Amino acid sequence: MQHILEELNSTSRSTKVALAAATATSAAYLAYNHFPSSSPQSSIPSLRGPPSTSLISGNLFLIFDPDIDQLEQWLKKYGNVFAMPALFGVKGVYLADPKAVAYVTTRFTAFPKPPALNLAIMRLTGPGLVAAEGDVHKRQRRIIQPAFSPAQIKQMTPTFVAKTQELKSIWMSQCSGGPTTINVLQWLDHLTLDIIGETALGYSFDSLHGSSNELAKAFDDLLGETAMADPMHFIAGIFPPAAKLPLKRNRATANAMAILQKVGQELVDAKRKEQEILPEGGADDLLGNDLLSVLIQSNMKEAASQRMTDEEVIAPGLFLNRMRTNANVAAEIATFVIAGHDTTASSTSWTLYALAKNPEIQRKLQKELLAFPHDSPTLDDLNSMKYLEWVIKESLRRHPAAHAMQRTPAKDEVIPLSEPIVDRSGKEINEILLKAGETIFVSMAAFNWSTKYWGPDAHEFRPERWANPPEESSVIPHVYANLMSFFAGPRACIGWRFALAETKAILFGLLRAFDFEIDPQMTIKTKSVIATRPMVVGQEPLGTRLPLIVKAKGLRVE
């Protein structure tokens, strides 16, 4: 709320009154419709858990930006399932039990996102794959999946490598006079935006070179407005009239989405023309290897009864939403580009941070990378680099892109536990009853950080653990490497293979050319926005950033 109040200082009295009314109405609406009070039949009131730290936000900041030591203490004190205060004092349940999490994530239609969260997502990105639920999500995911096949990612890898070489050239110029402090998060944002533009849309953002093209600027404005997790997106999500208030946040979002709509329509019109020149049945000859082209091709191969019309595929936008308004073009493209570049930029930044904090590990990785004879590896080459794989796994474990996900039962549910917990009365229970609409916090951080699964040094960054991963970690729900970093079940990250290949290519190119260090006086903390991003303690007004000392090096190991 602080950001809104600060902006109100320069707004009219009528606007202040309107916003205050909207905020109060939103709070009431949220409390009574989106986060229903726990009934006596629910298990939540009987569960132990930490006290609330705020009358308004509860422990939400601790859920989404947890302290690793505090989280370990909670797990030891309360067990793998406990009550957690959320907004306005309403308690949810924090799940870190593997059987319980597997139950929730595999039954994704029975455990959708809370309505308030989904509306907030739609406010920012529109009704795309991230927001879709139930059969709509199933259908979209089935058609989108071929775009993320191993064969398709192999074709994209040269783009990952080439774009990284562009960033390398820029940094080489900046470091020509000696070691230079560079905000690596900002540059990785530019790099991954350029990569996702070319591989997903066949579009050049040219963000690395400071292009002022309107689509790049629109995304910069949109992400800039969310960099500090402004609460207006949440308020407007659950109380739509708030989006019409004359605030800077609303104006910037509306302007950015208008530009996305215009340029997005131009992109899909080009794909329509591309499709029109194909001969009958010529799906296999579809021009272009970008994601949008592959989606069209995938739809052509669907059974006739399941196939979307050309209008459905092209006109509504990238994620094939059934809503046929042109405005959805911008929203759907925004969904993929934001999700596809922000998470990789953040996770790669955290890897460079970990390597800067652990120079011996950095040197060991550089030795492996520099042993490769040239600068243009294939995906198979990158996958053969064992220590690179270990470093990425360890970074994903220690620095997941998200610390928790929210879900809610669509109806009353009994969730089984892998081991009993002790409730407030001292009774052992082996399952919990949740009422429809209650909030579940599925913890990824608890699984990734727990000494129970990863040993007594779980809080350390140690890639060597992946030479022989602990057997205990095998019970963790996952799609990759016994990690919750990409979530689990049918709603796990659809682009996880894409993200891994992209990260490998980026680290390969940068670590062969540069050494990374960090100012020992600087402290970095996490800030959950779209992904968990680094922020300098004491420099919060500057937003999320990661300044590292970058030094150009020779390409030969001594």
Side-chain angles (χ1 to χ4, degrees):
M1 299 294 175
Q2 180 181 357
H3 306 298
I4 293 178
L5 295 176
E6 289 173 351
E7 187 172 336
L8 282 175
N9 290 332
S10 60
T11 60
S12 67
R13 184 176 183 277
S14 60
T15 300
K16 293 179 183 180
V17 172
L19 180 58
T23 303
T25 305
S26 297
Y29 181 80
L30 178 65
Y32 287 102
N33 291 279
H34 291 285
F35 292 93
S37 299
S38 303
S39 75
Q41 296 174 306
S42 169
S43 296
I44 291 179
S46 68
L47 297 180
R48 299 181 300 155
S52 177
T53 59
S54 169
L55 292 175
I56 295 177
S57 61
N59 288 347
L60 284 182
F61 292 110
L62 298 177
I63 294 170
F64 296 111
D65 284 312
D67 175 81
I68 190 168
D69 294 317
Q70 183 178 61
L71 180 55
E72 186 75 14
Q73 291 172 9
W74 286 348
L75 294 171
K76 288 179 178 178
K77 184 174 182 179
Y78 306 118
N80 291 333
V81 177
F82 50 85
M84 182 66 84
L87 287 176
F88 311 116
V90 179
K91 290 185 177 180
V93 61
Y94 193 88
L95 285 190
D97 180 279
K99 188 174 183 179
V101 168
Y103 185 89
V104 170
T105 56
T106 56
R107 294 164 175 79
F108 79 98
T109 57
F111 293 93
K113 296 180 295 298
L117 173 62
N118 224 25
L119 287 170
I121 291 172
M122 293 177 70
R123 146 84 174 169
L124 180 61
T125 65
L129 187 67
V130 176
E133 295 287 354
D135 290 340
V136 173
H137 181 273
K138 287 181 182 178
R139 185 164 179 255
Q140 289 181 2
R141 190 176 179 106
R142 185 185 69 248
I143 296 174
I144 292 170
Q145 192 69 58
F148 295 99
S149 68
Q152 187 64 26
I153 293 169
K154 278 188 176 183
Q155 293 185 43
M156 295 176 179
T157 301
T159 301
F160 303 159
V161 172
K163 286 297 177 183
T164 302
Q165 290 300 310
E166 289 184 28
L167 178 58
K168 169 189 161 183
S169 296
I170 293 170
W171 282 4
M172 279 291 188
S173 178
Q174 293 182 4
C175 296
S176 60
T180 302
T181 298
I182 294 175
N183 179 6
V184 299
L185 177 61
Q186 179 187 45
W187 282 102
L188 289 171
D189 277 336
H190 294 324
L191 171 61
T192 55
L193 182 61
D194 282 357
I195 287 174
I196 205 69
E198 292 198 11
T199 58
L201 307 175
Y203 180 86
S204 176
F205 285 104
D206 201 24
S207 182
L208 279 173
H209 301 286
S211 171
S212 59
N213 77 64
E214 55 187 350
L215 190 56
K217 186 177 184 304
F219 275 112
D220 184 63
D221 289 344
L222 195 60
L223 291 174
E225 291 302 325
T226 64
M228 296 298 290
D230 193 283
M232 179 50 65
H233 292 292
F234 185 78
I235 293 172
I238 61 172
F239 188 67
K244 298 184 181 299
L245 291 172
L247 299 175
K248 177 183 176 183
R249 306 300 187 268
N250 290 336
R251 290 193 297 270
T253 299
N255 182 63
M257 292 306 290
I259 293 172
L260 294 178
Q261 162 60 32
K262 182 178 78 70
V263 181
Q265 189 64 59
E266 293 171 359
L267 290 173
V268 294
D269 284 348
K271 294 300 177 185
R272 182 185 290 111
K273 290 179 180 179
E274 184 176 280
Q275 185 184 16
E276 288 173 354
I277 67 173
L278 293 173
E280 183 71 23
D284 289 335
D285 299 320
L286 187 64
L287 300 177
N289 290 315
D290 57 87
L291 176 61
L292 189 54
S293 296
V294 175
L295 289 180
I296 296 171
Q297 184 175 359
S298 173
N299 187 61
M300 289 177 177
K301 293 181 178 179
E302 286 284 304
S305 61
Q306 295 295 310
R307 186 180 302 161
M308 289 182 173
T309 65
D310 293 346
E311 177 73 9
E312 284 182 293
V313 173
I314 299 173
L318 185 60
F319 278 125
L320 318 177
N321 191 280
R322 283 182 174 273
M323 297 175 67
R324 296 181 181 231
T325 63
N326 286 336
N328 284 329
V329 173
E332 301 293 8
I333 290 176
T335 300
F336 184 74
V337 174
I338 290 174
H341 99 274
D342 187 72
T343 52
T344 303
S346 300
S347 62
T348 307
S349 294
W350 283 117
T351 304
L352 293 177
Y353 166 78
L355 294 172
K357 296 280 287 185
N358 296 273
E360 291 184 5
I361 295 174
Q362 182 178 170
R363 286 191 291 270
K364 184 174 180 179
L365 176 56
Q366 288 171 322
K367 183 177 180 179
E368 178 182 73
L369 301 182
L370 287 167
F372 192 76
H374 56 80
D375 287 335
S376 301
T378 65
L379 182 57
D380 288 339
D381 293 329
L382 293 170
N383 287 340
S384 71
M385 298 175 188
K386 181 176 68 174
Y387 201 65
L388 176 61
E389 182 90 12
W390 291 359
V391 166
I392 290 173
K393 286 179 178 177
E394 185 69 349
S395 183
L396 289 171
R397 185 191 70 82
R398 188 59 186 82
H399 302 285
H403 292 129
M405 294 283 192
Q406 293 184 63
R407 294 293 183 264
T408 187
K411 61 181 180 61
D412 294 358
E413 290 277 357
V414 177
I415 300 178
L417 307 180
S418 63
E419 57 185 59
I421 58 172
V422 178
D423 68 11
R424 294 168 64 91
S425 69
K427 176 185 176 182
E428 282 195 351
I429 56 176
N430 294 287
E431 59 187 23
I432 57 171
L433 170 64
L434 296 183
K435 304 295 289 182
E438 292 185 318
T439 302
I440 300 170
F441 300 102
V442 178
S443 177
M444 287 114 97
F447 287 107
N448 281 13
W449 296 346
S450 176
T451 56
K452 176 179 179 180
Y453 302 119
W454 301 103
D457 64 350
H459 296 186
E460 299 177 13
F461 184 84
R462 189 174 67 84
E464 283 73 16
R465 78 176 73 250
W466 293 96
N468 186 26
E471 180 63 29
E472 291 82 357
S473 69
S474 63
V475 302
I476 299 173
H478 66 278
V479 294
Y480 172 73
N482 297 350
L483 295 171
M484 276 289 285
S485 303
F486 294 112
F487 207 52
R491 291 210 68 134
C493 174
I494 193 172
W496 67 270
R497 291 185 180 89
F498 179 104
L500 287 175
E502 183 181 16
T503 302
K504 288 177 180 180
I506 294 171
L507 292 176
F508 174 87
L510 297 182
L511 287 162
R512 280 165 58 91
F514 305 101
D515 292 323
F516 295 88
E517 301 176 5
I518 189 168
D519 182 345
Q521 303 302 314
M522 183 180 293
T523 300
I524 302 296
K525 67 177 182 179
T526 62
K527 178 68 176 179
S528 290
V529 189
I530 296 171
T532 302
R533 294 165 70 87
M535 176 177 279
V536 180
V537 174
Q539 299 180 18
E540 287 83 358
L542 297 178
T544 56
R545 51 200 296 270
L546 181 61
L548 293 181
I549 301 167
V550 181
K551 178 182 178 182
K553 63 182 296 164
L555 297 182
R556 184 174 299 174
V557 177
E558 299 295 336

